[in-house]
Amino acid sequence: RKEVEQDPGPFNVPEGATVAFNCTYSNSASQSFFWYRQDCRKEPKLLMSVYSSGNEDGRFTAQLNRASQYISLLIRDSKLSDSATYLCVVGYSGSARQLTFGSGTQLTVLP
Amino acid sequence: NAGVTQTPKFQVLKTGQSMTLQCAQDMNHNSMYWYRQDPGMGLRLIYYSASEGTTDKGEVPNGYNVSRLNKREFSLRLESAAPSQTSVYFCASGARVGYGYTFGSGTRLTVV
């Protein structure tokens, strides 16, 4: 079983739609959680951290469910510029490697 | 504020040639990482350095070596390039686990 698993997609949604991605992780001792965004042929960039109480950044909402070991990302009112691959990332300070990356979920927002 | 700088951005090698990918960060991060990314495979960790003076193998270390030259610089060397090493290579650095990583812009390597 992979440490971090994501639905690879692709998700194709119309502009203005709401889309949600889920991610599960296997290490119950994980402490830090992130969503990264990667545009085609570019490096991954931090989109947002995920906090236990859930957090929002504009149109983006992230949720964490520690009991079920899953993380979600909700994008409201999708824009063409949201088209990218979204990487779920989990961190554990007990490992020198720190962060483990999921394989990513591809989103295409259609006009 | 450069962040993480990788060189070169593109490289074509012949099978058997060697080369070194350079990475430098100016954020005073302790940890540095080398990943490769292939279509459909996601990011795979090659080597990492938790602090200056230490290096450890990741998931796919075969065919690579690394050097943590100082706190800023972490290089990746291919001693005898093979077509299977054609990939996009990313360097990243991180402070503490709660703060995520910053990535360089990548090196696109083709081995023919």
Side-chain angles (χ1 to χ4, degrees), chain B:
Chain B
N1 189 4
V4 179
T5 303
Q6 282 184 244
T7 56
K9 293 191 183 301
F10 301 93
Q11 184 72 50
V12 179
L13 290 178
K14 293 182 179 179
T15 298
Q17 286 185 319
S18 62
M19 77 161 296
T20 299
L21 281 63
Q22 306 287 352
C23 176
Q25 52 96 3
D26 62 3
M27 296 173 289
N28 201 35
H29 287 167
N30 287 321
S31 302
M32 297 186 73
Y33 307 83
W34 276 105
Y35 289 88
R36 61 177 288 173
Q37 188 173 41
D38 304 292
M41 300 291 290
L43 288 164
R44 292 187 290 169
L45 184 63
I46 304 171
Y47 270 93
Y48 63 102
S49 171
S51 60
E52 187 179 353
T54 68
T55 61
D56 285 286
K57 295 179 181 179
E59 303 168 61
V60 289
N62 292 344
Y64 305 95
N65 284 300
V66 291
S67 295
R68 182 75 183 265
L69 303 170
N70 47 55
K71 190 170 186 179
R72 291 186 65 249
E73 298 173 286
F74 188 37
S75 62
L76 178 72
R77 183 162 178 83
L78 287 70
E79 291 291 352
S80 179
S84 61
Q85 294 178 305
T86 293
S87 188
V88 181
Y89 291 85
F90 289 106
C91 176
S93 71
R96 294 186 295 279
V97 68
Y99 292 87
Y101 294 168
T102 300
F103 283 83
S105 58
T107 296
R108 299 189 177 279
L109 176 67
T110 302
V111 183
V112 297

Side-chain angles (χ1 to χ4, degrees), chain A residues 36-70:
Chain A
Y36 273 69
R37 169 194 171 126
Q38 185 173 24
D39 293 300
C40 187
R41 302 177 71 82
K42 298 287 190 180
E43 72 272 25
K45 291 185 178 178
L46 180 63
L47 177 66
M48 59 194 302
S49 301
V50 186
Y51 302 118
S52 296
S53 56
N55 49 298
E56 193 173 298
D57 182 1
R59 298 181 292 108
F60 298 83
T61 300
Q63 297 280 352
L64 169 64
N65 184 320
R66 286 187 185 270
S68 301
Q69 295 180 210
Y70 82 77

